[in-house]
Amino acid sequence: MANYWLVKSEPSVYSIDDLQRDGRTHWDGVRNYQARNIMRDKMKKGDLVLFYHSNANPPGVVGMAKVVRTGYPDHTARDPQSNYYDPKSTEEDPRWYMVDIEFVEKFPRLVSLPEIKDHPQLQEMVLVRRSRLSVQPVRPHEFETIVSLARKS
DNA sequence: GCCAACGTTGGC
DNA sequence: GCCAACGTTGGC
């Protein structure tokens, strides 16, 4: 049974169009323990991921991706040149993890945060309840609701 | 650019 | 282990 997730990215840093162009990417740079635990322990190959644009106008869900590699050490934590460098990360104890995701689709329509907040079926979403987590679980009915909103013209 | 929410750090 | 200070996220 596949799980569902939502990942956030600022489109000025890495957008759904970047993912479409690249086809596949490492989801690096996550420096929050709860998000790390999800990537290290919970995300499985084939899990579907909603791709969310934060700090955007308007913010919202813009597409879908798929997990193609389970958690492994985030090498950017050990690269002093990287913005995501963390001197406390070592080879024995990498501290930070990432997964690889693959582009699935860009939705024909953005499902905006206000729309999500107004939708009766989506009130319990982590996105609504606790806005700051950048990798978060999504319930199956929430996933389906958002995808159907995204395909509705 | 402001600022609320909330996560992390570090002194004690 | 508490908690104040500080840093970051992300909506607006």
Side-chain angles (χ1 to χ4, degrees), chain A residues 7-110:
Chain A
V7 298
K8 295 181 186 173
S9 186
E10 299 191 26
S12 61
V13 177
Y14 197 84
S15 71
I16 189 71
D17 295 321
D18 294 324
L19 182 61
Q20 182 163 29
R21 181 199 61 215
D22 296 343
R24 168 178 178 146
T25 193
H26 328 286
W27 205 249
D28 62 15
V30 173
R31 297 291 178 268
N32 168 284
Y33 289 107
Q34 207 174 335
R36 190 254 345 239
N37 292 347
I38 289 172
M39 292 201 295
R40 190 189 57 192
D41 307 331
K42 299 277 171 55
M43 286 175 133
K44 298 300 172 208
K45 255 187 214 180
D47 285 357
L48 294 175
V49 178
L50 296 171
F51 196 103
Y52 178 91
H53 280 173
S54 61
N55 258 311
N57 214 344
V61 175
V62 291
M64 196 194 296
K66 181 169 74 176
V67 177
V68 288
R69 182 174 174 186
T70 53
Y72 62 108
D74 179 347
H75 55 78
T76 64
R78 302 196 54 236
D79 173 6
Q81 310 291 50
S82 169
N83 285 337
Y84 303 122
Y85 179 58
D86 179 353
K88 289 175 185 155
S89 172
T90 64
E91 196 165 353
E92 303 73 49
D93 181 15
R95 182 183 269 232
W96 302 115
Y97 285 76
M98 60 188 179
V99 296
D100 288 356
I101 62 171
E102 183 179 87
F103 178 81
V104 173
E105 72 172 295
K106 180 177 176 177
F107 291 139
R109 192 174 86 72
L110 171 146

